[in-house]
Amino acid sequence: MPMMTMPEVKKVQGGTLWSNTYNLFTARVYTPENDLPGQIINLGFKAPCLTVLAEKEWDDDGIIAFAVKSGLAKLAASFDSSVIFISPNSGDWDREDEELYKEFIAETKIGPFYKDGVLIQKNFFRPVPDTYFIRGAIFRVCLYGKGKSADYVARNLLRTVNGQYLWGPGEITPSAACLEGLSVVPAPERDDIAVISVNNSAAVNDALKAKCRYFLQKEKADYEQDWRGFTVRFKRWCGVIEEEPEFDTNGVIEEYGVEEITTSPDDNGRFRGTATHPVGYFAYYNKGLPEKGPLPTVITFHGGGDSALHIAHVSGWWRVAAKYSFLSICVENHMDVTATEAMKLVEKLRAKYPIDMTSLYA
């Protein structure tokens, strides 16, 4: 069952920490401080769901120390995200099966309203209380297991897992797993789960290499760099593993920005009654294209529960912009942006990009 009240959030070294006990597991969520405009630019669609299957019970200091020393805190901060620590209520990973993982995914959601690693789910149509979830992109789950918790993943999760997906029942197979110190030889049933094998035997590595299409073998884990150099590419969308583009190398620019816009009288959203308010956006264009003159421009607006990143990637607008050499601007959280304000945003963007006003589309 989801939390019906906001959990107690503690200010700790370098961020915040909260915990909640569910039916099969206890979650402790560490959210490191960062300087990102997280409530204006929603990076959740690209943020990894960094999930540590704790091999032992840590106190607050132990959780923070591991998150910082491992580099996971730095990685989470770069996406305005969190490091999630999961431990079984039974106290023994050997006793658990896929039901624990399924419950974790069911209690984890992504959306535009969040604070301190807590997703706040609002109902705009009925006057019912808000519900609260662990904030995380379940299509980018990266599991970190060591010893018995790694064995748990090897036994139960290197295969198709079905449960509660984004909009209802669906496939929730993890996209990636980092497995250290396995005592069992895994027999993966799926070849599309990205696996990092750390300090494992030759028999374990041979079994993983024989089946896993995406495999990285390490003697020692480097959590941040292993993610940035390997795991970053993978997301599982509606059951299918997809490799994300590396914009640094494919000649396409992906950049976000925030502009302060005069609030229009018909704005009934979050910024109603303010003089001005920020509007976020993501821009996509081929490297060097703005220097070639006025650009045809397409402005896209996402659905009520989505984000600018979501529409850019799932709807594929960045690919279309790259193929046909135009500028794509994906506006963030359009529910807080009126049509009048959208045009004011365009005027602001004209100072940054050579928008061809005779070829402007929405």
Side-chain angles (χ1 to χ4, degrees):
M1 290 292 293
M3 296 180 286
M4 300 307 296
T5 59
M6 183 75 177
E8 180 183 353
V9 178
K10 295 187 285 187
K11 290 286 185 182
V12 295
Q13 176 187 347
T16 61
L17 183 67
W18 62 270
S19 65
N20 190 66
T21 297
Y22 299 90
N23 183 39
L24 296 175
F25 72 95
T26 295
R28 306 185 77 183
V29 180
Y30 176 62
T31 305
E33 297 171 344
N34 65 75
D35 296 324
L36 294 168
Q39 298 300 313
I40 306 302
I41 293 292
N42 189 345
L43 294 167
F45 182 80
K46 296 192 81 169
C49 189
L50 303 170
T51 308
V52 179
L53 305 182
E55 59 173 326
K56 59 184 180 181
E57 288 293 332
W58 279 312
D59 59 15
D60 292 357
D61 291 339
I63 281 179
I64 297 166
F66 181 87
V68 172
K69 184 178 180 180
S70 66
L72 292 179
K74 182 179 178 182
L75 183 57
S78 68
F79 288 96
D80 190 34
S81 188
S82 307
V83 186
I84 306 164
F85 293 78
I86 300 296
S87 57
N89 292 340
S90 68
D92 186 358
W93 283 109
D94 287 344
R95 295 173 56 184
E96 303 301 331
D97 57 19
E98 68 176 24
E99 292 302 316
L100 185 149
Y101 172 75
K102 289 166 68 172
E103 185 184 29
F104 163 62
I105 295 298
E107 297 294 346
T108 304
K109 291 187 181 296
I110 190 171
F113 304 105
Y114 63 93
K115 184 178 181 182
D116 297 320
V118 181
L119 191 286
I120 305 168
Q121 183 165 281
K122 298 178 179 294
N123 191 314
F124 294 99
F125 304 102
R126 294 189 295 126
V128 296
D130 294 342
T131 48
Y132 302 86
F133 295 85
I134 303 166
R135 179 175 180 256
I138 63 175
F139 45 87
R140 293 189 190 274
V141 170
C142 186
L143 301 173
Y144 294 88
K146 185 177 181 180
K148 283 194 172 185
S149 66
D151 290 346
Y152 165 79
V153 176
R155 287 195 311 270
N156 298 287
L157 303 180
L158 299 183
R159 62 187 186 217
T160 301
V161 184
N162 291 300
Q164 188 69 22
Y165 191 56
L166 294 174
W167 313 284
E171 187 179 328
I172 57 171
T173 306
S175 60
C178 178
L179 306 178
E180 182 173 358
L182 283 163
S183 65
V184 300
V185 176
E189 297 177 18
R190 293 286 292 256
D191 70 351
D192 61 350
I193 301 172
V195 174
I196 303 174
S197 175
V198 180
N199 190 28
N200 285 313
S201 68
V204 166
N205 288 326
D206 288 345
L208 291 170
K209 281 188 287 188
K211 184 63 176 178
C212 298
R213 194 190 324 166
Y214 311 108
F215 176 75
L216 179 64
Q217 183 176 329
K218 301 289 295 287
E219 292 299 317
K220 184 178 180 181
D222 186 338
Y223 294 97
E224 183 188 0
Q225 292 306 314
D226 291 346
W227 187 88
R228 294 191 184 280
F230 178 71
T231 322
V232 63
R233 308 198 313 268
F234 306 109
K235 79 170 185 284
R236 186 173 301 283
W237 191 252
C238 299
V240 179
I241 202 74
E242 297 180 357
E243 290 193 55
E244 289 284 286
E246 297 181 43
F247 288 107
D248 290 342
T249 59
N250 71 355
V252 177
I253 302 298
E254 177 187 58
E255 59 190 11
Y256 70 80
V258 177
E259 297 291 345
E260 194 71 16
I261 304 298
T262 301
T263 305
S264 63
D266 61 339
D267 188 330
N268 290 309
R270 172 165 54 134
F271 299 106
R272 178 180 183 180
T274 61
T276 65
H277 70 88
V279 176
Y281 66 89
F282 279 84
Y284 297 86
Y285 56 91
N286 290 333
K287 189 174 182 179
L289 188 63
E291 286 76 36
K292 296 181 180 180
L295 291 177
T297 301
V298 174
I299 313 290
T300 63
F301 302 88
H302 61 77
D306 296 329
S307 67
L309 275 176
H310 177 276
I311 197 168
H313 287 263
V314 174
S315 299
W317 272 111
W318 78 265
R319 295 182 185 274
V320 183
K323 181 177 181 179
Y324 294 104
S325 296
F326 63 81
L327 172 66
S328 174
I329 300 289
C330 301
V331 179
E332 188 71 82
N333 201 359
H334 76 91
M335 293 181 291
D336 292 325
V337 182
T338 67
T340 301
E341 293 167 358
M343 291 309 299
K344 291 177 181 177
L345 174 63
V346 171
E347 291 302 317
K348 292 270 191 174
L349 292 175
R350 290 180 70 188
K352 185 173 183 179
Y353 304 106
I355 295 175
D356 183 351
M357 294 300 290
T358 68
S359 295
L360 178 65
Y361 307 90

